[in-house]
Amino acid sequence: MFTVIGERINTTLEKVKEAVEKRDADYITNDVKKQTACGATYIDVNAGARIGCEADDMKWLLDVIQGATDLPLCLDSPDPKILEIAYGRIDQAPMINSISLETDRLNAMLPFLKGKDCKVIALCMDDSGLPKHSDDIVNCAKTIVEKLEQIGMKREDIFVDPLIQPISVDANNGAMAVEAVKTIMQDLKGVHTTGGLSNISYGLPQRKIINRCFLLMMMAGGLDSAILDPMDNKIMAVLKTGELIAGNDSFCMNFLKSVRAGEIRS
Ligand code: THG
């Protein structure tokens, strides 16, 4: 089954930031309930935007969100200390977002992850910065999966993120990500692939149509998870139709169910 990571609880979004500042639990509760109803599998929680407040904001958000949904959470921070605090505050196995091959992050995250009951997102990035070729991404993926397997993690618990970069910056960034996902799914059998889809459309108008088309191309490469807005019903319709066409919907059951529920219309 495709894993949808709902991206809306992120303090870089102005409304979320305001709600967190005011400790407006109703706003967060309402949003999380909607993401849940729209078909999220995980709720991403990113409290990074208010400098110096990340730990307190994260704790408050986790308490509110867990009162609003039964879904597991995707703890989104580059800071291993924040992830430790967050992990201690939740009552269901989370997804940890994220680990990478950057030396400091890797050295802090491997001991943290060892023996823990969780999934993890592995960013294909090392100390040399953002990948420039799909081979860089695939090589990063292979190294990081090997390191995670060495500490006892199973491939089925690893979500490899090729690090999607804007198409406005380099015309090859879309094809590079698709190619990387294809090779990762072939060469590292058993892992999942995911990513922040909307990165692709950064800096362009009409971003949602770009995100939707990109999702479908990534799914053709084997993508089986994405960080997206589940309340965008058009991207969710593309997702479900993509699953149908990719052969992941036996007897078209899910597609037909979504049509009957009014979630998919031509
Ligand atoms: N990989 C991983 N984690 C990630 C990302 C990734 N976490 C953060 C980010 N990228 C994914 N999360 C979001 C959350 C919200 C939005 C986009 C990505 C969003 N953006 C608005 C848009 O796209 O139109 C604009 C922002 C705004 O309104 O301020 O909603 O790549 N592992």
Side-chain angles (χ1 to χ4, degrees), residues 21 26 52 79 83 92 94 101 103 121 145 147 153 190 197 220 234 236 238 249-250:
E21 254 160 23
D26 287 349
D79 184 346
L83 294 171
Q92 252 194 102
L101 283 180
T103 308
I121 298 183
V145 167
K147 289 192 184 291
M153 286 202 77
L197 285 182
K234 289 185 182 165
M236 292 302 280
V238 165
D249 185 2
S250 56

Side-chain angles (χ1 to χ4, degrees), residues 1-8 30-44 69-72 215 224-237 239-240 243 254 257-258 261 263:
M1 205 195 67
F2 199 95
T3 301
V4 175
I5 304 169
E7 71 183 6
R8 296 173 54 86
N30 183 40
D31 190 288
V32 168
K33 284 191 167 159
K34 282 188 193 150
Q35 291 194 71
T36 305
C38 287
T41 325
Y42 282 83
I43 302 290
D44 189 85
T69 187
D70 292 328
L71 291 179
L215 170 61
D224 66 353
S225 169
I227 306 169
L228 53 74
D229 178 0
M231 283 166 64
D232 174 352
N233 49 27
K234 289 185 182 165
I235 204 167
M236 292 302 280
L239 202 170
K240 288 163 190 162
E243 282 282 86
N254 293 330
K257 207 173 112 206
S258 296
E263 294 158 5

Side-chain angles (χ1 to χ4, degrees), residues 48-241:
R50 299 199 320 135
I51 309 299
C53 305
E54 188 173 5
D56 284 340
D57 288 354
M58 180 61 99
K59 286 192 240 170
W60 179 78
L61 276 169
L62 293 176
D63 293 349
V64 174
I65 294 167
Q66 288 180 103
T69 187
D70 292 328
L71 291 179
L73 308 184
C74 177
L75 307 172
D76 188 352
S77 173
D79 184 346
K81 288 196 224 64
I82 298 288
L83 294 171
E84 290 252 25
I85 293 169
Y87 188 87
R89 196 105 178 166
I90 50 171
D91 40 43
Q92 252 194 102
M95 189 178 296
I96 301 293
N97 185 7
S98 52
I99 187 173
S100 76
L101 283 180
E102 296 160 285
T103 308
D104 291 349
R105 198 160 169 183
L106 185 73
N107 289 341
M109 288 304 295
L110 285 176
F112 165 79
L113 288 170
K114 191 170 179 177
K116 287 219 170 57
D117 183 15
C118 63
K119 316 267 180 200
V120 67
I121 298 183
L123 288 186
C124 295
M125 186 183 170
D126 59 20
D127 291 322
S128 68
L130 295 170
K132 290 171 188 65
H133 191 276
S134 65
D135 291 347
D136 301 338
I137 303 176
V138 173
N139 288 334
C140 245
K142 287 182 177 169
T143 308
I144 204 160
V145 167
E146 190 183 323
K147 289 192 184 291
L148 289 167
E149 286 185 309
Q150 278 167 3
I151 60 159
M153 286 202 77
K154 298 198 199 83
R155 286 198 178 179
E156 69 203 49
D157 293 330
I158 302 171
F159 288 69
V160 177
D161 181 340
L163 259 184
I164 295 154
Q165 299 172 64
I167 197 76
S168 56
V169 170
D170 187 316
N172 193 43
N173 278 343
M176 176 171 79
V178 171
E179 187 60 35
V181 163
K182 217 182 254 175
T183 311
I184 288 165
M185 289 310 236
Q186 268 164 20
D187 292 4
L188 292 167
K189 282 256 172 333
V191 302
H192 302 279
T193 40
T194 194
L197 285 182
S198 64
N199 298 347
I200 197 72
S201 61
Y202 185 80
L204 288 171
Q206 303 297 337
R207 292 184 63 180
K208 288 184 174 190
I209 185 75
I210 303 173
N211 300 346
R212 286 177 208 134
C213 290
F214 182 55
L215 170 61
L216 203 55
M217 291 185 70
M218 291 286 270
M219 289 176 76
L223 189 83
D224 66 353
S225 169
I227 306 169
L228 53 74
D229 178 0
M231 283 166 64
D232 174 352
N233 49 27
K234 289 185 182 165
I235 204 167
M236 292 302 280
V238 165
L239 202 170
K240 288 163 190 162
T241 311

